[in-house]
Amino acid sequence: QVHLVESGGGLVQAGESLRLSCAASGRFFRISDMGWYRQAPGKQRELVARIFSSGSTNYADSVKGRFTISRDNAKNTVSLQMNSLQPEDTAAYYCHIKYFTYVGDSLDAWGQGTLVTVSS
């Protein structure tokens, strides 16, 4: 019922920046949490950054001070500004939301993933 579309991945050199965006569409009452996860080859998916409906955020230690997450509630979008990218940031990045349906259920939705590759 909810569809997430990600954009902004690509190939950059170490030290450069990228901005990922994710737009949610479909039928839902409201979105609570929005976030980004990543999965590198051979590794488990991990939380990168999350932003709550209150606006509070949390980040993985490895990206603190380099990445910034933001959301636009009017447009149902979440973005991830990634600065000072390093080769270890190379991964598929997935948008994630928690949302409430009109009958009060809390559900999760995932994007299809966008690839970020950082060369040294």
Side-chain angles (χ1 to χ4, degrees), residues 33-36 47-60 63-65 67-71 78-80:
D33 307 351
M34 307 184 83
W36 291 92
L47 175 68
V48 176
R50 180 169 49 196
I51 184 166
F52 300 92
S53 55
S54 63
S56 62
T57 59
N58 59 32
Y59 295 89
V63 306
K64 283 180 181 177
F67 292 10
T68 302
I69 190 169
S70 59
R71 64 189 285 172
V78 60
S79 297
L80 185 69

Side-chain angles (χ1 to χ4, degrees), residues 1-9 19-26 28 31 34-36 70 75-80 93-97 109-115:
Q1 297 289 347
V2 174
H3 188 50
L4 303 181
V5 177
E6 300 147 336
S7 61
R19 184 176 180 86
L20 305 182
S21 295
C22 173
S25 62
F28 51 87
I31 298 173
M34 307 184 83
W36 291 92
S70 59
K75 297 180 179 180
N76 295 318
T77 59
V78 60
S79 297
L80 185 69
Y93 284 70
Y94 298 89
C95 177
H96 170 262
I97 68 168
W110 291 91
Q112 79 283 359
T114 185
L115 188 60

